[in-house]
Amino acid sequence: MTPSLIHHPLATFGSTLPADTDHLLAITTAGALLLIHVPEGEYGFEEHNQPEFIVCLQGQLDMETNDGQEVTALAGEMIEVTPGVRHRFAPSTNAVVMTLTQR
């Protein structure tokens, strides 16, 4: 079974790449790059038809799916949400994140 929330330790992986060499993380369609402050609290579930990429810039990002999968990302790490997965910021999240949403 493919996980619906995928954790990417960007800084750790990036430091293993050859210097000044591009590494393709994803190909995306037109959408929006958003900066979001996510304090502790209750958040509703949402679902997208395209992958969503959420990079933790500061704090701790906790994501959960409606079927109980949980993933945590710290600053410099990314969570990829696969298409069609109902997900939300967990109540324990306290972070600043950057998210790429697609149309």
XYZ file of all heavy atoms in Angstrom:
782
model
N 0.850 -1.189 0.000
C 0.000 0.000 0.000
C 0.890 1.245 0.000
O 1.781 1.385 0.820
C -0.905 -0.024 1.222
C -1.785 1.171 1.349
S -2.823 1.011 2.829
C -3.341 2.678 2.984
N 0.637 2.160 -0.906
C 1.387 3.410 -0.979
C 0.885 4.369 0.090
O -0.327 4.551 0.233
C 1.210 4.061 -2.366
O 1.637 3.129 -3.350
C 2.011 5.330 -2.482
N 1.791 4.961 0.875
C 1.332 5.908 1.895
C 0.683 7.130 1.245
O 1.053 7.532 0.148
C 2.601 6.287 2.641
C 3.718 5.956 1.724
C 3.237 4.846 0.828
N -0.277 7.712 1.933
C -0.957 8.888 1.403
C -0.324 10.184 1.885
O -0.576 11.233 1.322
C -2.434 8.844 1.769
O -2.598 8.580 3.140
N 0.493 10.117 2.922
C 1.295 11.249 3.384
C 2.748 10.795 3.316
O 3.123 9.825 3.968
C 0.952 11.636 4.820
C -0.474 12.113 5.097
C -0.669 12.329 6.594
C -0.776 13.380 4.335
N 3.565 11.468 2.516
C 4.944 11.048 2.299
C 5.883 12.104 2.866
O 5.816 13.273 2.479
C 5.216 10.836 0.798
C 4.214 9.822 0.232
C 6.652 10.378 0.580
C 4.152 9.787 -1.275
N 6.765 11.692 3.762
C 7.711 12.587 4.425
C 8.988 12.699 3.598
O 9.564 11.687 3.211
C 8.015 12.043 5.821
C 8.984 12.850 6.589
N 10.275 12.458 6.790
C 8.863 14.058 7.201
C 10.906 13.369 7.502
N 10.073 14.346 7.764
N 9.441 13.930 3.314
C 10.665 14.182 2.553
C 11.620 15.031 3.396
O 11.358 16.218 3.599
C 10.359 14.954 1.255
C 9.524 14.205 0.282
N 10.055 13.351 -0.641
C 8.185 14.186 0.077
C 9.089 12.845 -1.386
N 7.936 13.332 -0.966
N 12.736 14.465 3.905
C 13.722 15.261 4.644
C 14.601 16.037 3.658
O 15.688 15.593 3.290
C 14.501 14.214 5.436
C 14.377 12.965 4.618
C 13.054 13.050 3.909
N 14.136 17.180 3.199
C 14.780 17.920 2.110
C 16.226 18.285 2.398
O 17.095 18.095 1.543
C 13.973 19.187 1.800
C 12.555 18.968 1.286
C 11.852 20.308 1.117
C 12.559 18.188 -0.004
N 16.511 18.839 3.560
C 17.876 19.276 3.849
C 18.835 18.086 3.894
O 19.935 18.132 3.345
C 17.922 20.050 5.166
N 18.408 17.003 4.515
C 19.253 15.808 4.602
C 19.526 15.242 3.217
O 20.662 14.960 2.851
C 18.577 14.734 5.483
O 18.367 15.284 6.771
C 19.429 13.492 5.590
N 18.481 15.083 2.419
C 18.644 14.559 1.062
C 19.452 15.518 0.200
O 20.338 15.113 -0.543
C 17.278 14.288 0.424
C 17.373 13.869 -1.009
C 17.899 12.625 -1.337
C 16.959 14.703 -2.019
C 18.008 12.225 -2.664
C 17.061 14.321 -3.347
C 17.583 13.075 -3.673
N 19.133 16.793 0.288
C 19.816 17.794 -0.534
C 21.314 17.825 -0.321
O 22.087 18.038 -1.257
N 21.748 17.580 0.912
C 23.189 17.623 1.190
C 23.935 16.449 0.560
O 25.160 16.471 0.478
C 23.443 17.671 2.696
O 23.018 16.475 3.307
N 23.227 15.426 0.086
C 23.869 14.291 -0.574
C 24.009 14.485 -2.077
O 24.669 13.691 -2.746
C 23.081 12.980 -0.336
O 21.821 13.049 -1.013
C 22.892 12.719 1.154
N 23.384 15.527 -2.621
C 23.420 15.763 -4.072
C 24.748 16.383 -4.496
O 25.365 17.122 -3.723
C 22.273 16.700 -4.482
C 20.856 16.194 -4.231
C 19.848 17.290 -4.546
C 20.580 14.953 -5.051
N 25.173 16.130 -5.737
C 26.363 16.812 -6.246
C 26.138 18.330 -6.240
O 25.015 18.797 -6.440
C 26.491 16.294 -7.678
C 25.710 15.021 -7.709
C 24.611 15.192 -6.702
N 27.199 19.083 -6.032
C 27.101 20.549 -5.964
C 26.510 21.122 -7.248
O 26.831 20.669 -8.350
C 28.476 21.144 -5.705
N 25.636 22.107 -7.080
C 25.037 22.865 -8.179
C 24.406 21.975 -9.248
O 24.505 22.241 -10.444
C 26.086 23.797 -8.803
C 25.428 24.910 -9.608
O 24.269 25.268 -9.301
O 26.060 25.401 -10.558
N 23.743 20.905 -8.801
C 23.037 20.003 -9.709
C 21.569 20.012 -9.323
O 21.232 19.806 -8.153
C 23.593 18.567 -9.593
O 24.978 18.599 -9.897
C 22.890 17.629 -10.538
N 20.691 20.240 -10.295
C 19.255 20.253 -10.025
C 18.742 18.842 -9.786
O 19.156 17.897 -10.462
C 18.483 20.849 -11.201
C 18.808 22.316 -11.432
O 19.320 22.965 -10.495
O 18.550 22.808 -12.538
N 17.822 18.710 -8.845
C 17.133 17.448 -8.611
C 15.641 17.735 -8.704
O 15.108 18.545 -7.945
C 17.471 16.861 -7.239
C 16.713 15.602 -6.953
N 17.085 14.394 -7.477
C 15.596 15.374 -6.231
C 16.229 13.467 -7.089
N 15.317 14.036 -6.319
N 14.967 17.093 -9.639
C 13.537 17.308 -9.841
C 12.750 16.643 -8.717
O 12.816 15.432 -8.539
C 13.106 16.731 -11.193
C 11.638 16.885 -11.546
C 11.274 18.360 -11.705
C 11.338 16.112 -12.825
N 12.021 17.456 -7.947
C 11.173 16.920 -6.882
C 9.794 16.550 -7.412
O 9.217 15.550 -7.021
C 11.021 17.929 -5.743
C 12.271 18.172 -4.901
C 12.049 19.344 -3.960
C 12.656 16.923 -4.132
N 9.238 17.385 -8.300
C 7.904 17.129 -8.837
C 7.661 18.044 -10.026
O 8.233 19.125 -10.112
C 6.842 17.395 -7.775
N 6.809 17.597 -10.913
C 6.329 18.436 -12.004
C 4.918 18.846 -11.622
O 4.094 18.000 -11.260
C 6.348 17.678 -13.342
C 7.792 17.320 -13.698
C 5.690 18.502 -14.431
C 7.937 16.465 -14.931
N 4.648 20.144 -11.675
C 3.352 20.633 -11.210
C 2.633 21.391 -12.314
O 3.237 21.829 -13.290
C 3.524 21.571 -10.002
O 4.261 22.714 -10.413
C 4.246 20.866 -8.874
N 1.341 21.555 -12.133
C 0.536 22.375 -13.020
C 0.362 23.749 -12.372
O 0.714 23.938 -11.214
C -0.841 21.735 -13.255
O -1.483 21.567 -11.981
C -0.725 20.380 -13.931
N -0.173 24.681 -13.116
C -0.376 26.034 -12.584
C -1.201 25.976 -11.298
O -2.144 25.216 -11.191
C -1.087 26.902 -13.611
N -0.806 26.749 -10.339
C -1.505 26.764 -9.056
C -1.051 27.955 -8.246
O -0.854 29.036 -8.782
N -0.843 27.740 -6.956
C -0.452 28.828 -6.071
C 0.576 28.347 -5.066
O 0.498 27.225 -4.566
C -1.679 29.367 -5.342
N 1.536 29.218 -4.761
C 2.505 28.992 -3.710
C 2.064 29.848 -2.534
O 2.014 31.072 -2.647
C 3.904 29.386 -4.192
C 5.070 29.108 -3.269
C 5.211 27.601 -3.024
C 6.355 29.651 -3.878
N 1.714 29.203 -1.425
C 1.114 29.911 -0.300
C 1.995 29.832 0.936
O 2.621 28.809 1.200
C -0.244 29.291 0.042
C -1.253 29.179 -1.098
C -2.449 28.355 -0.654
C -1.671 30.550 -1.575
N 2.026 30.901 1.713
C 2.685 30.941 3.010
C 1.581 30.957 4.060
O 0.675 31.795 3.997
C 3.555 32.194 3.122
C 4.355 32.357 4.406
C 5.402 31.245 4.515
C 5.032 33.710 4.436
N 1.637 30.017 5.029
C 0.540 29.863 5.979
C 1.091 29.728 7.399
O 1.998 28.929 7.644
C -0.313 28.615 5.673
C -0.782 28.618 4.213
C -1.494 28.507 6.625
C -1.399 27.300 3.776
N 0.540 30.491 8.332
C 0.825 30.310 9.764
C -0.223 29.340 10.294
O -1.429 29.580 10.145
C 0.730 31.656 10.493
C 0.868 31.531 11.964
N 0.136 32.295 12.828
C 1.646 30.741 12.741
C 0.457 31.978 14.077
N 1.368 31.034 14.041
N 0.222 28.255 10.909
C -0.692 27.222 11.395
C -0.467 27.030 12.896
O 0.353 26.219 13.316
C -0.469 25.873 10.651
C -1.566 24.883 11.036
C -0.425 26.072 9.149
N -1.188 27.783 13.740
C -1.060 27.582 15.187
C -1.855 26.351 15.625
O -2.662 25.814 14.866
C -1.669 28.856 15.767
C -2.659 29.296 14.750
C -2.094 28.875 13.413
N -1.615 25.913 16.856
C -2.370 24.787 17.403
C -3.859 25.082 17.323
O -4.287 26.221 17.496
C -1.975 24.532 18.859
C -0.566 24.028 19.021
C -0.210 23.745 20.476
O -1.114 23.670 21.324
O 0.986 23.599 20.756
N -4.654 24.056 17.045
C -6.095 24.233 16.963
C -6.734 23.157 16.106
O -6.061 22.276 15.576
N -8.031 23.236 15.976
C -8.786 22.260 15.186
C -8.908 22.739 13.747
O -9.274 23.884 13.492
C -10.188 22.063 15.776
C -10.205 21.271 17.055
C -9.757 19.820 16.877
O -10.100 19.200 15.851
O -9.056 19.315 17.771
N -8.625 21.848 12.807
C -8.706 22.148 11.379
C -9.578 21.103 10.701
O -9.567 19.933 11.082
C -7.310 22.164 10.747
C -6.458 23.293 11.279
C -5.659 23.117 12.406
C -6.503 24.545 10.693
C -4.903 24.158 12.918
C -5.760 25.594 11.198
C -4.964 25.394 12.312
O -4.230 26.433 12.818
N -10.322 21.531 9.701
C -11.185 20.612 8.963
C -10.396 19.806 7.943
O -9.322 20.211 7.493
N -10.949 18.655 7.574
C -10.335 17.832 6.539
C -10.600 18.441 5.175
O -11.630 19.081 4.946
C -10.908 16.409 6.588
C -10.366 15.586 7.720
C -11.067 15.474 8.908
C -9.160 14.921 7.594
C -10.567 14.713 9.957
C -8.646 14.158 8.639
C -9.353 14.058 9.815
N -9.649 18.252 4.251
C -9.809 18.693 2.881
C -9.228 17.640 1.957
O -8.509 16.741 2.402
C -9.136 20.045 2.637
C -7.657 20.061 2.926
C -7.055 21.452 2.754
O -7.755 22.447 2.946
O -5.855 21.503 2.432
N -9.535 17.760 0.678
C -9.096 16.778 -0.305
C -8.832 17.508 -1.619
O -9.543 18.452 -1.965
C -10.211 15.744 -0.477
C -9.928 14.639 -1.429
C -11.083 13.642 -1.492
O -11.869 13.553 -0.520
O -11.192 12.956 -2.507
N -7.799 17.070 -2.344
C -7.439 17.694 -3.614
C -7.311 16.620 -4.698
O -6.986 15.469 -4.403
C -6.099 18.438 -3.504
C -6.033 19.365 -2.340
N -6.683 20.583 -2.307
C -5.409 19.255 -1.144
C -6.455 21.172 -1.155
N -5.678 20.389 -0.427
N -7.520 17.020 -5.943
C -7.386 16.103 -7.077
C -5.948 15.987 -7.566
O -5.659 15.150 -8.413
C -8.283 16.542 -8.233
C -9.744 16.424 -7.883
O -10.138 15.540 -7.143
N -10.545 17.326 -8.404
N -5.065 16.859 -7.071
C -3.658 16.870 -7.456
C -2.803 16.696 -6.197
O -3.273 16.959 -5.098
C -3.301 18.217 -8.116
C -4.076 18.537 -9.372
C -3.662 17.656 -10.534
O -2.541 17.184 -10.604
N -4.597 17.413 -11.435
N -1.544 16.288 -6.348
C -0.674 16.223 -5.172
C -0.530 17.602 -4.534
O -0.607 18.617 -5.222
C 0.674 15.764 -5.729
C 0.415 15.256 -7.083
C -0.835 15.920 -7.575
N -0.337 17.620 -3.235
C -0.076 18.867 -2.508
C 1.264 18.708 -1.799
O 1.542 17.658 -1.226
C -1.181 19.145 -1.493
C -0.978 20.443 -0.736
C -2.087 20.728 0.261
O -2.813 19.798 0.654
O -2.211 21.891 0.661
N 2.094 19.750 -1.848
C 3.416 19.720 -1.248
C 3.465 20.792 -0.164
O 3.238 21.959 -0.451
C 4.494 19.975 -2.302
C 4.428 18.984 -3.435
C 3.710 19.261 -4.587
C 5.059 17.762 -3.326
C 3.640 18.343 -5.617
C 5.000 16.829 -4.351
C 4.282 17.119 -5.499
N 3.759 20.392 1.084
C 3.759 21.315 2.214
C 5.141 21.274 2.861
O 5.556 20.241 3.390
C 2.673 20.939 3.234
C 1.312 20.801 2.549
C 2.622 21.978 4.351
C 0.252 20.150 3.401
N 5.851 22.404 2.806
C 7.196 22.510 3.360
C 7.111 23.222 4.708
O 6.550 24.317 4.798
C 8.128 23.301 2.414
C 9.514 23.439 3.021
C 8.202 22.623 1.049
N 7.658 22.603 5.740
C 7.707 23.222 7.061
C 8.890 24.190 7.098
O 10.031 23.786 6.896
C 7.849 22.157 8.142
S 7.843 22.843 9.809
N 8.619 25.459 7.318
C 9.661 26.477 7.396
C 10.099 26.735 8.828
O 11.247 27.085 9.084
C 9.173 27.783 6.765
C 8.776 27.710 5.294
C 8.182 29.036 4.844
C 9.958 27.312 4.435
N 9.166 26.576 9.759
C 9.446 26.859 11.175
C 8.487 26.042 12.023
O 7.311 25.885 11.670
C 9.249 28.350 11.435
C 9.486 28.779 12.851
C 9.232 30.280 13.023
O 8.649 30.932 12.167
N 9.668 30.815 14.140
N 8.972 25.513 13.135
C 8.111 24.793 14.069
C 7.951 23.330 13.717
O 8.843 22.704 13.142
N 6.781 22.789 14.074
C 6.476 21.379 13.841
C 5.157 21.253 13.110
O 4.120 21.714 13.595
C 6.408 20.625 15.167
C 6.098 19.153 14.996
C 6.209 18.377 16.283
O 7.143 18.566 17.044
N 5.259 17.488 16.534
N 5.196 20.611 11.940
C 4.020 20.379 11.113
C 3.556 18.943 11.323
O 4.290 18.011 11.019
C 4.372 20.608 9.638
C 3.363 20.139 8.594
C 2.043 20.871 8.755
C 3.931 20.332 7.202
N 2.360 18.777 11.868
C 1.759 17.460 12.060
C 0.563 17.356 11.126
O -0.341 18.194 11.173
C 1.298 17.265 13.509
C 2.443 17.355 14.502
O 3.516 16.793 14.215
O 2.267 17.992 15.554
N 0.574 16.344 10.273
C -0.531 16.114 9.332
C -1.170 14.779 9.670
O -0.501 13.859 10.135
C -0.021 16.060 7.888
C 0.609 17.327 7.375
S -0.565 18.671 7.125
C -1.623 17.989 5.872
N -2.482 14.680 9.399
C -3.176 13.417 9.602
C -4.229 13.227 8.517
O -4.725 14.193 7.941
C -3.798 13.350 10.995
C -4.802 14.432 11.296
C -5.260 14.422 12.757
O -4.595 13.810 13.610
O -6.300 15.048 13.034
N -4.513 11.955 8.229
C -5.566 11.624 7.276
C -6.796 11.180 8.052
O -6.711 10.847 9.238
C -5.128 10.491 6.331
O -4.914 9.302 7.101
C -3.860 10.870 5.564
N -7.937 11.140 7.365
C -9.157 10.735 8.059
C -9.161 9.240 8.384
O -9.978 8.786 9.157
C -10.403 11.125 7.272
C -10.539 10.381 5.969
O -9.546 9.987 5.349
N -11.759 10.200 5.508
N -8.204 8.470 7.808
C -8.117 7.051 8.157
C -7.040 6.776 9.206
O -6.688 5.634 9.467
C -7.923 6.179 6.924
C -6.600 6.421 6.214
O -5.826 7.300 6.639
O -6.344 5.721 5.216
N -6.472 7.847 9.807
C -5.585 7.687 10.953
C -4.094 7.748 10.692
O -3.306 7.644 11.622
N -3.657 7.926 9.437
C -2.222 8.049 9.200
C -1.746 9.399 9.715
O -2.420 10.410 9.541
C -1.895 7.931 7.707
C -0.403 7.981 7.455
C -0.045 7.935 5.976
O -0.899 7.845 5.112
N 1.239 8.025 5.692
N -0.584 9.424 10.378
C -0.014 10.660 10.907
C 1.436 10.776 10.467
O 2.164 9.784 10.443
C -0.082 10.670 12.436
C -1.504 10.636 12.976
C -1.557 10.605 14.493
O -0.494 10.668 15.147
O -2.666 10.513 15.027
N 1.856 11.996 10.106
C 3.233 12.274 9.704
C 3.628 13.623 10.297
O 2.822 14.552 10.326
C 3.381 12.307 8.171
C 4.758 12.758 7.755
C 3.085 10.947 7.577
N 4.881 13.727 10.749
C 5.420 14.971 11.300
C 6.589 15.436 10.453
O 7.413 14.633 10.030
C 5.888 14.755 12.752
O 4.743 14.452 13.551
C 6.567 15.992 13.302
N 6.655 16.741 10.200
C 7.796 17.355 9.519
C 8.272 18.531 10.356
O 7.468 19.281 10.912
C 7.407 17.830 8.129
N 9.587 18.669 10.452
C 10.210 19.805 11.128
C 10.745 20.760 10.076
O 10.686 20.475 8.874
C 11.325 19.300 12.049
C 10.880 18.307 13.121
C 12.076 17.790 13.890
C 9.857 18.931 14.053
N 11.296 21.893 10.516
C 11.813 22.895 9.579
C 12.778 22.240 8.593
O 13.650 21.466 8.982
C 12.511 24.016 10.344
N 12.577 22.535 7.305
C 13.419 21.978 6.260
C 12.927 20.651 5.725
O 13.584 20.043 4.892
N 11.766 20.204 6.172
C 11.210 18.940 5.703
C 9.880 19.199 5.009
O 9.234 20.222 5.232
C 11.032 17.960 6.866
C 12.344 17.618 7.543
C 12.192 16.696 8.732
O 11.099 16.645 9.345
O 13.172 16.032 9.052
N 9.482 18.266 4.146
C 8.274 18.434 3.348
C 7.379 17.213 3.483
O 7.863 16.097 3.590
C 8.654 18.615 1.873
C 7.473 18.749 0.931
S 7.992 19.055 -0.773
C 8.502 17.425 -1.288
N 6.078 17.445 3.459
C 5.101 16.369 3.402
C 4.387 16.470 2.060
O 3.914 17.542 1.672
C 4.084 16.447 4.557
C 4.800 16.238 5.893
C 2.969 15.415 4.363
C 3.919 16.418 7.106
N 4.331 15.364 1.364
C 3.604 15.268 0.096
C 2.298 14.545 0.371
O 2.293 13.447 0.928
C 4.439 14.482 -0.911
C 3.761 14.235 -2.232
C 4.618 13.386 -3.160
O 5.832 13.201 -2.886
O 4.067 12.901 -4.157
N 1.184 15.170 -0.007
C -0.133 14.562 0.166
C -0.576 14.059 -1.199
O -0.675 14.842 -2.152
C -1.157 15.572 0.719
C -2.502 14.903 0.952
C -0.646 16.225 2.006
N -0.820 12.764 -1.319
C -1.197 12.201 -2.607
C -2.640 12.589 -2.960
O -3.450 12.884 -2.074
C -1.018 10.669 -2.618
O -1.776 10.102 -1.563
C 0.447 10.299 -2.431
N -2.968 12.613 -4.261
C -4.295 13.031 -4.707
C -5.417 12.187 -4.094
O -5.269 10.981 -3.902
C -4.255 12.831 -6.220
C -2.804 12.835 -6.580
C -2.103 12.262 -5.392
N -6.526 12.853 -3.800
C -7.721 12.165 -3.322
C -7.711 11.767 -1.862
O -8.628 11.077 -1.410
N -6.716 12.199 -1.093
C -6.610 11.826 0.319
C -7.202 12.924 1.194
O -6.797 14.082 1.093
C -5.136 11.576 0.704
C -4.999 11.361 2.200
C -4.581 10.396 -0.064
N -8.150 12.561 2.038
C -8.705 13.524 2.994
C -7.683 13.716 4.101
O -7.287 12.762 4.756
C -10.052 13.049 3.542
C -11.131 13.046 2.460
C -12.535 12.831 2.977
N -12.933 13.725 4.056
C -13.257 15.019 3.935
N -13.219 15.592 2.755
N -13.620 15.731 4.984
N -7.259 14.958 4.304
C -6.172 15.256 5.237
C -6.419 16.594 5.914
O -7.268 17.378 5.476
C -4.836 15.299 4.481
C -4.788 16.393 3.465
N -5.428 16.295 2.243
C -4.206 17.614 3.489
C -5.234 17.411 1.556
N -4.503 18.241 2.297
N -5.642 16.830 6.978
C -5.736 18.111 7.673
C -4.479 18.330 8.504
O -3.704 17.403 8.761
C -6.954 18.164 8.585
C -6.843 17.258 9.798
C -8.050 17.427 10.683
N -7.964 16.575 11.872
C -8.840 16.583 12.835
N -9.890 17.400 12.779
N -8.700 15.795 13.876
N -4.293 19.599 8.943
C -3.279 19.902 9.940
C -3.792 19.312 11.254
O -4.924 19.561 11.648
C -3.090 21.410 10.098
C -2.619 22.109 8.847
C -3.403 23.077 8.247
C -1.390 21.809 8.280
C -2.967 23.736 7.110
C -0.946 22.463 7.146
C -1.732 23.423 6.555
N -2.950 18.542 11.933
C -3.342 17.979 13.221
C -3.425 19.097 14.258
O -2.741 20.122 14.136
C -2.329 16.918 13.655
N -4.262 18.927 15.289
C -4.419 19.974 16.299
C -3.108 20.390 16.974
O -2.977 21.519 17.427
C -5.378 19.345 17.319
C -6.149 18.337 16.529
C -5.180 17.801 15.512
N -2.120 19.495 17.026
C -0.847 19.781 17.685
C 0.111 20.616 16.833
O 1.153 21.065 17.319
C -0.155 18.471 18.057
O 0.000 17.658 16.903
N -0.218 20.850 15.564
C 0.658 21.626 14.684
C 0.863 23.032 15.215
O -0.075 23.686 15.667
C 0.066 21.702 13.256
O 0.107 20.408 12.678
C 0.838 22.659 12.378
N 2.090 23.492 15.144
C 2.435 24.891 15.457
C 3.585 25.238 14.534
O 4.743 24.972 14.844
C 2.805 25.054 16.930
C 2.924 26.514 17.309
O 2.736 27.400 16.482
N 3.262 26.764 18.547
N 3.258 25.793 13.361
C 4.276 25.939 12.325
C 3.971 27.086 11.374
O 2.853 27.591 11.328
C 4.378 24.643 11.516
N 4.991 27.456 10.637
C 4.837 28.287 9.456
C 5.196 27.387 8.294
O 6.265 26.744 8.306
C 5.761 29.525 9.507
C 5.693 30.302 8.192
C 5.402 30.423 10.680
N 4.311 27.307 7.320
C 4.515 26.394 6.199
C 4.372 27.123 4.869
O 3.750 28.183 4.782
C 3.528 25.203 6.237
C 3.650 24.433 7.536
C 2.093 25.643 6.017
N 4.954 26.521 3.858
C 4.770 26.975 2.486
C 4.148 25.786 1.752
O 4.644 24.658 1.857
C 6.116 27.333 1.866
C 6.017 27.864 0.458
S 7.634 28.452 -0.150
C 8.634 26.969 -0.001
N 3.052 26.027 1.071
C 2.372 24.948 0.378
C 2.196 25.277 -1.092
O 1.949 26.432 -1.445
C 1.019 24.611 1.043
O 0.400 23.536 0.358
C 0.079 25.788 1.062
N 2.373 24.281 -1.919
C 2.132 24.411 -3.356
C 0.852 23.677 -3.670
O 0.772 22.457 -3.498
C 3.287 23.819 -4.167
C 3.098 23.834 -5.678
C 3.005 25.276 -6.191
C 4.236 23.101 -6.352
N -0.178 24.438 -4.045
C -1.425 23.851 -4.432
C -1.540 23.915 -5.949
O -1.010 24.824 -6.581
C -2.633 24.577 -3.790
O -2.606 25.940 -4.215
C -2.561 24.509 -2.278
N -2.204 22.935 -6.531
C -2.340 22.858 -7.975
C -3.796 22.938 -8.381
O -4.678 22.616 -7.613
C -1.716 21.559 -8.475
C -0.251 21.438 -8.089
C 0.333 20.146 -8.570
O 0.474 19.955 -9.765
N 0.669 19.273 -7.645
N -4.023 23.323 -9.617
C -5.399 23.398 -10.135
C -5.712 22.180 -10.947
O -4.910 21.507 -11.454
C -5.554 24.638 -10.997
C -5.401 25.870 -10.183
C -5.483 27.081 -11.026
N -5.003 28.170 -10.180
C -5.313 29.398 -10.362
N -6.061 29.756 -11.338
N -4.849 30.325 -9.570
